[in-house]
Amino acid sequence: MFRIGPFSKLVRVSPRTLRHYEKCGLFFPAKVDSENGYRLYGADQIALIQRIVSLRDMGFHTQEIGEVLEHGSDPAWLTETLRQRAAAIEAELEGQKHRLSLVRGALQQMKENTVMAEYKVEVKEISAVRIISARQVLPSYYDEGDLWHKLAKFIKREGLVSSVVEGCCYSEYHDPDYKKQDVDVEVGHPWSGKPIDQDGITVRELEAIPLAACVTFDGPYELTGEATAHLAKWVEENGYEIIGNSRGTGIRHPGNEADPQHYQTQVSFPVRKI
C-alpha cells in the first residue's frame, strides 16, 4: 500500500486535495494505520480518484461529483447529466466570447482615441409590418443568433427564400423586465408569402408603434447597450415614459453586410408623454 505522499505523486493529486475529498466524503484511504495515523491507499483506488479528477475538470462541483459516483452506473442518467453539463459549458463559452468582444472593442476605442458616439434620438410613428418570425425562450440574450439560424434553416428547408422581403430584420424582446437568463425573444424578416404556423415559426403582423423613441447607430451589436443607455437618458430628460417592449431593427445586418463595423441598427421603445 502507499502512504499519502507517494500515492499523491502516483495519481498527480496533492495530499491536500486528497484530504479535502476525504472530508467531503468522496474518497477515503483504504486504511489508516492505528499506531501512527498514516493514511494508506491501494492501487485499486487509482481508477476512482482519476474519475473524480476527471469530473472536477469537467466543471462538476463536489456535491455533483458525489451524485455522479452514486448514480453513474445508470447509463441513461449519466448521459443526461453529461448532456446538461455540455450545454452549460457551451453557454459559458458564449458568455466568454461576448466578454472578449467587449474587451477587444474597448481596446480598439482606446487605440483610435475615440469617445462615446453621439446618438440622435427621434420620436416617430413606426408602421406595422408583416413578418415571418421565430419566438423562443432562450438561455440568454447571447443565444439570439441560434434563433436566427433556426428561422433561416426553416425558410431554406421549406423553399420559401423568395418570400423573404429584402431589407430590414427585426428583434423584439417580450419580457416586461430585464432578465439575465430564460429570455423571451422573437426575431423575424418582412414576409410576402403564405401564412405559416409550424415548428415554432409563424407569420404575423408586427404591430405598429404610434409613438416610438428611436436611436440609430452604426457598428457592431456590442454598441447596443451604449445606444440604449443614451436613449433611456433622453426619454427621462424629455418628459416621456416607456410603455412597452424594446424592438431592434437591423438596417444593415449579417444578411446584407459582412463587416460588423458597418452594421446599422435602430433601437426603439414605445413611449408616451408624461
Side-chain angles (χ1 to χ4, degrees):
M1 303 192 79
F2 303 91
R3 287 171 56 177
I4 192 168
F7 186 75
S8 73
K9 293 180 180 179
L10 188 64
V11 297
R12 297 186 178 181
V13 178
S14 71
R16 180 180 179 181
T17 300
L18 290 171
R19 294 189 184 97
H20 172 69
Y21 289 152
E22 181 181 344
K23 184 177 180 181
C24 294
L26 290 180
F27 187 76
F28 298 94
K31 180 181 178 182
V32 177
D33 192 299
S34 59
E35 293 184 2
N36 52 37
Y38 289 151
R39 291 171 171 82
L40 301 174
Y41 301 85
D44 58 352
Q45 293 183 278
I46 292 176
L48 176 57
I49 190 61
Q50 287 178 336
R51 189 178 189 194
I52 291 172
V53 170
S54 177
L55 291 167
R56 178 201 66 190
D57 292 346
M58 292 180 200
F60 287 101
H61 300 301
T62 302
Q63 182 179 347
E64 294 170 328
I65 293 173
E67 292 173 357
V68 173
L69 296 179
E70 181 180 356
H71 302 290
S73 58
D74 181 348
W77 184 92
L78 183 58
T79 297
E80 177 61 18
T81 299
L82 293 176
R83 187 197 65 76
Q84 291 178 8
R85 184 63 202 137
I89 292 171
E90 288 174 355
E92 291 167 8
L93 287 173
E94 287 303 312
Q96 293 286 41
K97 287 180 183 177
H98 176 68
R99 294 182 187 98
L100 177 60
S101 178
L102 292 177
V103 172
R104 285 175 172 168
L107 287 170
Q108 185 65 26
Q109 285 190 338
M110 291 176 66
K111 181 179 179 181
E112 297 174 359
N113 195 28
T114 59
V115 296
M116 181 179 284
E118 289 294 328
Y119 296 105
K120 180 180 179 181
V121 176
E122 57 178 333
V123 178
K124 63 181 181 179
E125 178 184 358
I126 297 180
S127 301
V129 58
R130 187 169 180 258
I131 64 170
I132 182 170
S133 76
R135 179 175 175 178
Q136 188 174 327
V137 174
L138 302 173
S140 73
Y141 291 106
Y142 305 136
D143 299 291
E144 183 178 319
D146 295 339
L147 200 52
W148 282 110
H149 289 310
K150 175 183 178 180
L151 181 58
K153 185 177 179 180
F154 176 88
I155 292 171
K156 184 177 181 180
R157 185 187 74 206
E158 299 295 321
L160 301 171
V161 175
S162 62
S163 296
V164 177
V165 179
E166 292 186 5
C168 297
C169 62
Y170 301 92
S171 301
E172 189 151 10
Y173 307 97
H174 292 280
D175 295 301
D177 304 306
Y178 172 78
K179 296 174 68 178
K180 190 173 182 179
Q181 59 187 21
D182 298 329
V183 294
D184 187 355
V185 179
E186 181 179 16
V187 301
H189 296 286
W191 186 251
S192 64
K194 62 183 181 180
I196 293 170
D197 188 0
Q198 178 183 343
D199 298 336
I201 310 296
T202 188
V203 170
R204 75 173 188 91
E205 183 176 273
L206 191 61
E207 299 82 358
I209 303 179
L211 193 65
C214 311
V215 63
T216 301
F217 65 92
D218 295 329
Y221 293 132
E222 284 74 23
L223 293 174
T224 302
E226 182 180 302
T228 302
H230 181 92
L231 179 57
K233 183 178 180 182
W234 185 95
V235 167
E236 185 178 63
E237 291 177 347
N238 287 273
Y240 288 87
E241 64 176 344
I242 295 171
I243 58 172
N245 300 324
S246 65
R247 180 179 299 176
T249 303
I251 301 165
R252 293 195 299 269
H253 49 81
N256 57 26
E257 173 57 57
D259 186 353
Q261 297 300 322
H262 295 154
Y263 290 170
Q264 187 175 68
T265 306
Q266 179 179 272
V267 178
S268 308
F269 282 96
V271 296
R272 66 184 172 200
K273 193 75 173 177
I274 298 176

mmCIF file of all heavy atoms in Angstrom, residues 39-84:
data_model
loop_
_atom_site.group_PDB
_atom_site.id
_atom_site.type_symbol
_atom_site.label_atom_id
_atom_site.label_comp_id
_atom_site.label_asym_id
_atom_site.label_seq_id
_atom_site.Cartn_x
_atom_site.Cartn_y
_atom_site.Cartn_z
ATOM 1 N N ARG A 39 -2.294 7.633 6.519
ATOM 2 C CA ARG A 39 -3.294 7.218 5.546
ATOM 3 C C ARG A 39 -2.610 6.317 4.523
ATOM 4 O O ARG A 39 -1.557 6.682 3.983
ATOM 5 C CB ARG A 39 -3.918 8.431 4.858
ATOM 6 C CG ARG A 39 -4.796 9.281 5.765
ATOM 7 C CD ARG A 39 -5.169 10.571 5.048
ATOM 8 N NE ARG A 39 -6.181 11.340 5.756
ATOM 9 C CZ ARG A 39 -5.941 12.157 6.776
ATOM 10 N NH1 ARG A 39 -4.693 12.297 7.225
ATOM 11 N NH2 ARG A 39 -6.921 12.812 7.362
ATOM 12 N N LEU A 40 -3.246 5.205 4.211
ATOM 13 C CA LEU A 40 -2.691 4.243 3.253
ATOM 14 C C LEU A 40 -3.693 3.997 2.139
ATOM 15 O O LEU A 40 -4.895 3.857 2.377
ATOM 16 C CB LEU A 40 -2.358 2.935 3.967
ATOM 17 C CG LEU A 40 -1.347 3.046 5.118
ATOM 18 C CD1 LEU A 40 -1.217 1.703 5.831
ATOM 19 C CD2 LEU A 40 0.010 3.519 4.611
ATOM 20 N N TYR A 41 -3.172 3.960 0.919
ATOM 21 C CA TYR A 41 -4.023 3.821 -0.265
ATOM 22 C C TYR A 41 -3.572 2.620 -1.087
ATOM 23 O O TYR A 41 -2.371 2.308 -1.146
ATOM 24 C CB TYR A 41 -3.955 5.082 -1.125
ATOM 25 C CG TYR A 41 -4.393 6.333 -0.402
ATOM 26 C CD1 TYR A 41 -3.495 7.061 0.387
ATOM 27 C CD2 TYR A 41 -5.704 6.794 -0.499
ATOM 28 C CE1 TYR A 41 -3.891 8.209 1.055
ATOM 29 C CE2 TYR A 41 -6.109 7.941 0.170
ATOM 30 C CZ TYR A 41 -5.204 8.640 0.944
ATOM 31 O OH TYR A 41 -5.600 9.768 1.610
ATOM 32 N N GLY A 42 -4.543 1.989 -1.783
ATOM 33 C CA GLY A 42 -4.235 0.837 -2.612
ATOM 34 C C GLY A 42 -4.276 1.177 -4.089
ATOM 35 O O GLY A 42 -4.931 2.137 -4.512
ATOM 36 N N ALA A 43 -3.571 0.356 -4.881
ATOM 37 C CA ALA A 43 -3.539 0.581 -6.327
ATOM 38 C C ALA A 43 -4.924 0.476 -6.947
ATOM 39 O O ALA A 43 -5.213 1.109 -7.969
ATOM 40 C CB ALA A 43 -2.590 -0.426 -6.979
ATOM 41 N N ASP A 44 -5.810 -0.310 -6.323
ATOM 42 C CA ASP A 44 -7.152 -0.474 -6.882
ATOM 43 C C ASP A 44 -8.016 0.772 -6.675
ATOM 44 O O ASP A 44 -9.148 0.845 -7.175
ATOM 45 C CB ASP A 44 -7.845 -1.690 -6.272
ATOM 46 C CG ASP A 44 -7.945 -1.610 -4.745
ATOM 47 O OD1 ASP A 44 -7.344 -0.691 -4.162
ATOM 48 O OD2 ASP A 44 -8.626 -2.467 -4.168
ATOM 49 N N GLN A 45 -7.503 1.791 -5.982
ATOM 50 C CA GLN A 45 -8.238 3.039 -5.793
ATOM 51 C C GLN A 45 -7.899 4.090 -6.855
ATOM 52 O O GLN A 45 -8.536 5.138 -6.916
ATOM 53 C CB GLN A 45 -7.937 3.625 -4.409
ATOM 54 C CG GLN A 45 -8.465 2.806 -3.244
ATOM 55 C CD GLN A 45 -8.186 3.493 -1.924
ATOM 56 O OE1 GLN A 45 -7.088 3.396 -1.391
ATOM 57 N NE2 GLN A 45 -9.183 4.204 -1.410
ATOM 58 N N ILE A 46 -6.913 3.787 -7.678
ATOM 59 C CA ILE A 46 -6.452 4.787 -8.656
ATOM 60 C C ILE A 46 -7.559 5.149 -9.636
ATOM 61 O O ILE A 46 -7.768 6.320 -9.963
ATOM 62 C CB ILE A 46 -5.196 4.266 -9.395
ATOM 63 C CG1 ILE A 46 -4.019 4.191 -8.410
ATOM 64 C CG2 ILE A 46 -4.856 5.167 -10.581
ATOM 65 C CD1 ILE A 46 -2.760 3.594 -9.010
ATOM 66 N N ALA A 47 -8.302 4.150 -10.121
ATOM 67 C CA ALA A 47 -9.361 4.421 -11.100
ATOM 68 C C ALA A 47 -10.403 5.377 -10.531
ATOM 69 O O ALA A 47 -10.895 6.277 -11.228
ATOM 70 C CB ALA A 47 -10.015 3.114 -11.537
ATOM 71 N N LEU A 48 -10.756 5.204 -9.241
ATOM 72 C CA LEU A 48 -11.770 6.061 -8.629
ATOM 73 C C LEU A 48 -11.289 7.500 -8.517
ATOM 74 O O LEU A 48 -12.020 8.439 -8.876
ATOM 75 C CB LEU A 48 -12.146 5.521 -7.252
ATOM 76 C CG LEU A 48 -13.136 6.380 -6.444
ATOM 77 C CD1 LEU A 48 -14.431 6.591 -7.220
ATOM 78 C CD2 LEU A 48 -13.408 5.741 -5.084
ATOM 79 N N ILE A 49 -10.061 7.711 -8.034
ATOM 80 C CA ILE A 49 -9.589 9.081 -7.895
ATOM 81 C C ILE A 49 -9.424 9.741 -9.262
ATOM 82 O O ILE A 49 -9.687 10.937 -9.432
ATOM 83 C CB ILE A 49 -8.269 9.152 -7.079
ATOM 84 C CG1 ILE A 49 -7.924 10.616 -6.733
ATOM 85 C CG2 ILE A 49 -7.125 8.491 -7.814
ATOM 86 C CD1 ILE A 49 -8.958 11.312 -5.883
ATOM 87 N N GLN A 50 -9.057 8.968 -10.275
ATOM 88 C CA GLN A 50 -8.944 9.528 -11.617
ATOM 89 C C GLN A 50 -10.307 9.957 -12.146
ATOM 90 O O GLN A 50 -10.428 10.969 -12.838
ATOM 91 C CB GLN A 50 -8.290 8.510 -12.561
ATOM 92 C CG GLN A 50 -6.797 8.320 -12.315
ATOM 93 C CD GLN A 50 -6.174 7.275 -13.222
ATOM 94 O OE1 GLN A 50 -6.868 6.380 -13.728
ATOM 95 N NE2 GLN A 50 -4.874 7.374 -13.426
ATOM 96 N N ARG A 51 -11.336 9.184 -11.812
ATOM 97 C CA ARG A 51 -12.685 9.556 -12.239
ATOM 98 C C ARG A 51 -13.136 10.832 -11.549
ATOM 99 O O ARG A 51 -13.749 11.716 -12.167
ATOM 100 C CB ARG A 51 -13.674 8.427 -11.945
ATOM 101 C CG ARG A 51 -15.044 8.669 -12.562
ATOM 102 C CD ARG A 51 -15.992 7.520 -12.308
ATOM 103 N NE ARG A 51 -17.207 7.692 -13.084
ATOM 104 C CZ ARG A 51 -18.328 7.013 -12.891
ATOM 105 N NH1 ARG A 51 -18.387 6.101 -11.936
ATOM 106 N NH2 ARG A 51 -19.394 7.233 -13.636
ATOM 107 N N ILE A 52 -12.836 10.944 -10.266
ATOM 108 C CA ILE A 52 -13.198 12.150 -9.518
ATOM 109 C C ILE A 52 -12.511 13.371 -10.120
ATOM 110 O O ILE A 52 -13.137 14.421 -10.340
ATOM 111 C CB ILE A 52 -12.824 11.984 -8.031
ATOM 112 C CG1 ILE A 52 -13.736 10.938 -7.380
ATOM 113 C CG2 ILE A 52 -12.922 13.315 -7.299
ATOM 114 C CD1 ILE A 52 -13.322 10.555 -5.975
ATOM 115 N N VAL A 53 -11.246 13.246 -10.427
ATOM 116 C CA VAL A 53 -10.491 14.359 -11.007
ATOM 117 C C VAL A 53 -11.041 14.715 -12.384
ATOM 118 O O VAL A 53 -11.164 15.896 -12.737
ATOM 119 C CB VAL A 53 -8.994 14.002 -11.088
ATOM 120 C CG1 VAL A 53 -8.234 15.049 -11.903
ATOM 121 C CG2 VAL A 53 -8.402 13.902 -9.686
ATOM 122 N N SER A 54 -11.401 13.700 -13.165
ATOM 123 C CA SER A 54 -11.965 13.953 -14.489
ATOM 124 C C SER A 54 -13.273 14.733 -14.391
ATOM 125 O O SER A 54 -13.502 15.695 -15.130
ATOM 126 C CB SER A 54 -12.204 12.623 -15.209
ATOM 127 O OG SER A 54 -12.808 12.834 -16.466
ATOM 128 N N LEU A 55 -14.133 14.354 -13.447
ATOM 129 C CA LEU A 55 -15.400 15.064 -13.250
ATOM 130 C C LEU A 55 -15.155 16.491 -12.771
ATOM 131 O O LEU A 55 -15.828 17.438 -13.207
ATOM 132 C CB LEU A 55 -16.269 14.307 -12.240
ATOM 133 C CG LEU A 55 -16.820 12.954 -12.719
ATOM 134 C CD1 LEU A 55 -17.393 12.167 -11.552
ATOM 135 C CD2 LEU A 55 -17.875 13.155 -13.804
ATOM 136 N N ARG A 56 -14.161 16.658 -11.898
ATOM 137 C CA ARG A 56 -13.810 18.005 -11.452
ATOM 138 C C ARG A 56 -13.375 18.872 -12.622
ATOM 139 O O ARG A 56 -13.770 20.028 -12.750
ATOM 140 C CB ARG A 56 -12.681 17.916 -10.418
ATOM 141 C CG ARG A 56 -12.188 19.270 -9.893
ATOM 142 C CD ARG A 56 -10.792 19.147 -9.316
ATOM 143 N NE ARG A 56 -9.798 18.819 -10.330
ATOM 144 C CZ ARG A 56 -8.535 18.472 -10.078
ATOM 145 N NH1 ARG A 56 -8.136 18.378 -8.817
ATOM 146 N NH2 ARG A 56 -7.696 18.204 -11.057
ATOM 147 N N ASP A 57 -12.554 18.312 -13.494
ATOM 148 C CA ASP A 57 -12.054 19.063 -14.643
ATOM 149 C C ASP A 57 -13.158 19.391 -15.645
ATOM 150 O O ASP A 57 -13.014 20.314 -16.454
ATOM 151 C CB ASP A 57 -10.928 18.292 -15.333
ATOM 152 C CG ASP A 57 -9.676 18.215 -14.475
ATOM 153 O OD1 ASP A 57 -9.587 18.977 -13.487
ATOM 154 O OD2 ASP A 57 -8.790 17.388 -14.780
ATOM 155 N N MET A 58 -14.250 18.610 -15.622
ATOM 156 C CA MET A 58 -15.412 18.922 -16.472
ATOM 157 C C MET A 58 -16.239 20.065 -15.900
ATOM 158 O O MET A 58 -17.158 20.547 -16.548
ATOM 159 C CB MET A 58 -16.313 17.694 -16.613
ATOM 160 C CG MET A 58 -15.727 16.551 -17.402
ATOM 161 S SD MET A 58 -16.923 15.176 -17.466
ATOM 162 C CE MET A 58 -15.817 13.811 -17.880
ATOM 163 N N GLY A 59 -15.915 20.463 -14.663
ATOM 164 C CA GLY A 59 -16.637 21.570 -14.053
ATOM 165 C C GLY A 59 -17.686 21.165 -13.044
ATOM 166 O O GLY A 59 -18.436 22.018 -12.554
ATOM 167 N N PHE A 60 -17.768 19.878 -12.716
ATOM 168 C CA PHE A 60 -18.714 19.449 -11.691
ATOM 169 C C PHE A 60 -18.219 19.881 -10.317
ATOM 170 O O PHE A 60 -17.032 19.768 -10.002
ATOM 171 C CB PHE A 60 -18.874 17.927 -11.714
ATOM 172 C CG PHE A 60 -19.660 17.403 -12.888
ATOM 173 C CD1 PHE A 60 -19.012 16.857 -13.988
ATOM 174 C CD2 PHE A 60 -21.049 17.452 -12.897
ATOM 175 C CE1 PHE A 60 -19.723 16.375 -15.074
ATOM 176 C CE2 PHE A 60 -21.769 16.965 -13.971
ATOM 177 C CZ PHE A 60 -21.113 16.434 -15.072
ATOM 178 N N HIS A 61 -19.151 20.335 -9.476
ATOM 179 C CA HIS A 61 -18.818 20.683 -8.099
ATOM 180 C C HIS A 61 -18.788 19.420 -7.242
ATOM 181 O O HIS A 61 -19.236 18.351 -7.657
ATOM 182 C CB HIS A 61 -19.826 21.679 -7.542
ATOM 183 C CG HIS A 61 -19.880 22.962 -8.305
ATOM 184 N ND1 HIS A 61 -18.783 23.783 -8.470
ATOM 185 C CD2 HIS A 61 -20.897 23.570 -8.985
ATOM 186 C CE1 HIS A 61 -19.118 24.830 -9.180
ATOM 187 N NE2 HIS A 61 -20.394 24.725 -9.521
ATOM 188 N N THR A 62 -18.263 19.567 -6.028
ATOM 189 C CA THR A 62 -18.064 18.405 -5.156
ATOM 190 C C THR A 62 -19.346 17.618 -4.946
ATOM 191 O O THR A 62 -19.370 16.390 -5.065
ATOM 192 C CB THR A 62 -17.497 18.860 -3.801
ATOM 193 O OG1 THR A 62 -16.269 19.565 -4.015
ATOM 194 C CG2 THR A 62 -17.231 17.664 -2.907
ATOM 195 N N GLN A 63 -20.448 18.320 -4.657
ATOM 196 C CA GLN A 63 -21.720 17.630 -4.437
ATOM 197 C C GLN A 63 -22.175 16.901 -5.697
ATOM 198 O O GLN A 63 -22.681 15.774 -5.632
ATOM 199 C CB GLN A 63 -22.791 18.634 -3.998
ATOM 200 C CG GLN A 63 -24.148 17.990 -3.701
ATOM 201 C CD GLN A 63 -25.172 19.006 -3.241
ATOM 202 O OE1 GLN A 63 -24.843 20.136 -2.914
ATOM 203 N NE2 GLN A 63 -26.431 18.599 -3.208
ATOM 204 N N GLU A 64 -21.972 17.530 -6.851
ATOM 205 C CA GLU A 64 -22.374 16.910 -8.111
ATOM 206 C C GLU A 64 -21.531 15.673 -8.402
ATOM 207 O O GLU A 64 -22.042 14.672 -8.935
ATOM 208 C CB GLU A 64 -22.237 17.927 -9.245
ATOM 209 C CG GLU A 64 -23.198 19.105 -9.126
ATOM 210 C CD GLU A 64 -22.882 20.221 -10.108
ATOM 211 O OE1 GLU A 64 -21.692 20.418 -10.429
ATOM 212 O OE2 GLU A 64 -23.820 20.894 -10.543
ATOM 213 N N ILE A 65 -20.246 15.732 -8.065
ATOM 214 C CA ILE A 65 -19.379 14.567 -8.252
ATOM 215 C C ILE A 65 -19.904 13.398 -7.431
ATOM 216 O O ILE A 65 -19.956 12.252 -7.895
ATOM 217 C CB ILE A 65 -17.920 14.901 -7.875
ATOM 218 C CG1 ILE A 65 -17.333 15.908 -8.867
ATOM 219 C CG2 ILE A 65 -17.056 13.627 -7.845
ATOM 220 C CD1 ILE A 65 -15.963 16.418 -8.472
ATOM 221 N N GLY A 66 -20.313 13.686 -6.205
ATOM 222 C CA GLY A 66 -20.874 12.636 -5.360
ATOM 223 C C GLY A 66 -22.106 12.009 -5.976
ATOM 224 O O GLY A 66 -22.290 10.783 -5.924
ATOM 225 N N GLU A 67 -22.950 12.834 -6.603
ATOM 226 C CA GLU A 67 -24.160 12.322 -7.243
ATOM 227 C C GLU A 67 -23.809 11.440 -8.437
ATOM 228 O O GLU A 67 -24.442 10.394 -8.664
ATOM 229 C CB GLU A 67 -25.050 13.480 -7.680
ATOM 230 C CG GLU A 67 -25.647 14.258 -6.517
ATOM 231 C CD GLU A 67 -26.384 15.508 -6.972
ATOM 232 O OE1 GLU A 67 -26.364 15.788 -8.188
ATOM 233 O OE2 GLU A 67 -26.970 16.199 -6.115
ATOM 234 N N VAL A 68 -22.789 11.846 -9.199
ATOM 235 C CA VAL A 68 -22.368 11.040 -10.348
ATOM 236 C C VAL A 68 -21.817 9.692 -9.885
ATOM 237 O O VAL A 68 -22.109 8.640 -10.468
ATOM 238 C CB VAL A 68 -21.318 11.785 -11.196
ATOM 239 C CG1 VAL A 68 -20.762 10.870 -12.290
ATOM 240 C CG2 VAL A 68 -21.928 13.034 -11.822
ATOM 241 N N LEU A 69 -21.020 9.719 -8.836
ATOM 242 C CA LEU A 69 -20.470 8.463 -8.314
ATOM 243 C C LEU A 69 -21.579 7.540 -7.808
ATOM 244 O O LEU A 69 -21.485 6.312 -7.921
ATOM 245 C CB LEU A 69 -19.477 8.751 -7.185
ATOM 246 C CG LEU A 69 -18.219 9.533 -7.584
ATOM 247 C CD1 LEU A 69 -17.342 9.761 -6.357
ATOM 248 C CD2 LEU A 69 -17.436 8.811 -8.671
ATOM 249 N N GLU A 70 -22.639 8.148 -7.282
ATOM 250 C CA GLU A 70 -23.738 7.349 -6.740
ATOM 251 C C GLU A 70 -24.632 6.779 -7.832
ATOM 252 O O GLU A 70 -25.059 5.625 -7.754
ATOM 253 C CB GLU A 70 -24.571 8.200 -5.788
ATOM 254 C CG GLU A 70 -25.725 7.445 -5.142
ATOM 255 C CD GLU A 70 -26.540 8.319 -4.195
ATOM 256 O OE1 GLU A 70 -26.157 9.493 -3.979
ATOM 257 O OE2 GLU A 70 -27.553 7.821 -3.673
ATOM 258 N N HIS A 71 -24.914 7.581 -8.861
ATOM 259 C CA HIS A 71 -25.886 7.172 -9.882
ATOM 260 C C HIS A 71 -25.248 6.857 -11.229
ATOM 261 O O HIS A 71 -25.961 6.516 -12.175
ATOM 262 C CB HIS A 71 -26.919 8.282 -10.088
ATOM 263 C CG HIS A 71 -27.665 8.662 -8.847
ATOM 264 N ND1 HIS A 71 -28.590 7.838 -8.254
ATOM 265 C CD2 HIS A 71 -27.596 9.782 -8.071
ATOM 266 C CE1 HIS A 71 -29.095 8.428 -7.177
ATOM 267 N NE2 HIS A 71 -28.493 9.611 -7.032
ATOM 268 N N GLY A 72 -23.929 6.999 -11.336
ATOM 269 C CA GLY A 72 -23.267 6.887 -12.633
ATOM 270 C C GLY A 72 -23.333 5.535 -13.290
ATOM 271 O O GLY A 72 -22.994 5.388 -14.470
ATOM 272 N N SER A 73 -23.767 4.503 -12.578
ATOM 273 C CA SER A 73 -23.890 3.178 -13.195
ATOM 274 C C SER A 73 -25.133 3.081 -14.064
ATOM 275 O O SER A 73 -25.319 2.092 -14.782
ATOM 276 C CB SER A 73 -23.929 2.092 -12.114
ATOM 277 O OG SER A 73 -25.012 2.313 -11.214
ATOM 278 N N ASP A 74 -26.008 4.095 -13.998
ATOM 279 C CA ASP A 74 -27.206 4.148 -14.846
ATOM 280 C C ASP A 74 -26.847 4.910 -16.120
ATOM 281 O O ASP A 74 -26.692 6.139 -16.099
ATOM 282 C CB ASP A 74 -28.326 4.868 -14.091
ATOM 283 C CG ASP A 74 -29.618 4.955 -14.897
ATOM 284 O OD1 ASP A 74 -29.597 4.677 -16.112
ATOM 285 O OD2 ASP A 74 -30.655 5.312 -14.310
ATOM 286 N N PRO A 75 -26.721 4.234 -17.260
ATOM 287 C CA PRO A 75 -26.270 4.914 -18.489
ATOM 288 C C PRO A 75 -27.165 6.066 -18.914
ATOM 289 O O PRO A 75 -26.682 7.100 -19.356
ATOM 290 C CB PRO A 75 -26.277 3.791 -19.540
ATOM 291 C CG PRO A 75 -26.178 2.525 -18.745
ATOM 292 C CD PRO A 75 -26.909 2.794 -17.469
ATOM 293 N N ALA A 76 -28.493 5.899 -18.792
ATOM 294 C CA ALA A 76 -29.413 6.959 -19.204
ATOM 295 C C ALA A 76 -29.241 8.195 -18.330
ATOM 296 O O ALA A 76 -29.201 9.337 -18.823
ATOM 297 C CB ALA A 76 -30.859 6.453 -19.139
ATOM 298 N N TRP A 77 -29.116 7.979 -17.016
ATOM 299 C CA TRP A 77 -28.929 9.106 -16.085
ATOM 300 C C TRP A 77 -27.612 9.813 -16.362
ATOM 301 O O TRP A 77 -27.548 11.048 -16.412
ATOM 302 C CB TRP A 77 -28.950 8.587 -14.643
ATOM 303 C CG TRP A 77 -28.874 9.666 -13.610
ATOM 304 C CD1 TRP A 77 -29.910 10.307 -13.006
ATOM 305 C CD2 TRP A 77 -27.672 10.242 -13.073
ATOM 306 N NE1 TRP A 77 -29.437 11.242 -12.122
ATOM 307 C CE2 TRP A 77 -28.069 11.235 -12.134
ATOM 308 C CE3 TRP A 77 -26.314 10.021 -13.278
ATOM 309 C CZ2 TRP A 77 -27.151 11.995 -11.424
ATOM 310 C CZ3 TRP A 77 -25.400 10.788 -12.564
ATOM 311 C CH2 TRP A 77 -25.809 11.762 -11.652
ATOM 312 N N LEU A 78 -26.550 9.046 -16.571
ATOM 313 C CA LEU A 78 -25.229 9.636 -16.808
ATOM 314 C C LEU A 78 -25.200 10.399 -18.128
ATOM 315 O O LEU A 78 -24.629 11.489 -18.213
ATOM 316 C CB LEU A 78 -24.168 8.541 -16.807
ATOM 317 C CG LEU A 78 -22.718 9.014 -16.969
ATOM 318 C CD1 LEU A 78 -22.337 9.994 -15.865
ATOM 319 C CD2 LEU A 78 -21.767 7.823 -16.977
ATOM 320 N N THR A 79 -25.844 9.854 -19.155
ATOM 321 C CA THR A 79 -25.890 10.535 -20.454
ATOM 322 C C THR A 79 -26.572 11.884 -20.343
ATOM 323 O O THR A 79 -26.090 12.892 -20.863
ATOM 324 C CB THR A 79 -26.625 9.662 -21.487
ATOM 325 O OG1 THR A 79 -25.898 8.447 -21.681
ATOM 326 C CG2 THR A 79 -26.751 10.388 -22.823
ATOM 327 N N GLU A 80 -27.702 11.932 -19.646
ATOM 328 C CA GLU A 80 -28.427 13.194 -19.490
ATOM 329 C C GLU A 80 -27.622 14.187 -18.650
ATOM 330 O O GLU A 80 -27.590 15.394 -18.950
ATOM 331 C CB GLU A 80 -29.788 12.933 -18.847
ATOM 332 C CG GLU A 80 -30.608 14.180 -18.562
ATOM 333 C CD GLU A 80 -30.943 14.991 -19.810
ATOM 334 O OE1 GLU A 80 -30.847 14.437 -20.933
ATOM 335 O OE2 GLU A 80 -31.288 16.183 -19.661
ATOM 336 N N THR A 81 -26.962 13.698 -17.613
ATOM 337 C CA THR A 81 -26.146 14.577 -16.769
ATOM 338 C C THR A 81 -25.002 15.204 -17.567
ATOM 339 O O THR A 81 -24.725 16.399 -17.464
ATOM 340 C CB THR A 81 -25.589 13.794 -15.569
ATOM 341 O OG1 THR A 81 -26.675 13.304 -14.781
ATOM 342 C CG2 THR A 81 -24.700 14.677 -14.699
ATOM 343 N N LEU A 82 -24.339 14.392 -18.372
ATOM 344 C CA LEU A 82 -23.238 14.902 -19.191
ATOM 345 C C LEU A 82 -23.756 15.850 -20.275
ATOM 346 O O LEU A 82 -23.097 16.848 -20.608
ATOM 347 C CB LEU A 82 -22.465 13.742 -19.818
ATOM 348 C CG LEU A 82 -21.686 12.862 -18.828
ATOM 349 C CD1 LEU A 82 -21.044 11.680 -19.562
ATOM 350 C CD2 LEU A 82 -20.611 13.667 -18.096
ATOM 351 N N ARG A 83 -24.932 15.561 -20.815
ATOM 352 C CA ARG A 83 -25.519 16.446 -21.828
ATOM 353 C C ARG A 83 -25.807 17.825 -21.228
ATOM 354 O O ARG A 83 -25.519 18.855 -21.840
ATOM 355 C CB ARG A 83 -26.815 15.835 -22.365
ATOM 356 C CG ARG A 83 -27.415 16.607 -23.547
ATOM 357 C CD ARG A 83 -28.856 16.243 -23.766
ATOM 358 N NE ARG A 83 -29.684 16.659 -22.634
ATOM 359 C CZ ARG A 83 -30.062 17.928 -22.418
ATOM 360 N NH1 ARG A 83 -29.683 18.886 -23.258
ATOM 361 N NH2 ARG A 83 -30.808 18.235 -21.387
ATOM 362 N N GLN A 84 -26.350 17.842 -20.023
ATOM 363 C CA GLN A 84 -26.635 19.107 -19.352
ATOM 364 C C GLN A 84 -25.352 19.873 -19.050
ATOM 365 O O GLN A 84 -25.300 21.099 -19.169
ATOM 366 C CB GLN A 84 -27.415 18.854 -18.059
ATOM 367 C CG GLN A 84 -28.838 18.358 -18.282
ATOM 368 C CD GLN A 84 -29.554 18.064 -16.973
ATOM 369 O OE1 GLN A 84 -29.061 18.354 -15.891
ATOM 370 N NE2 GLN A 84 -30.751 17.485 -17.070
#
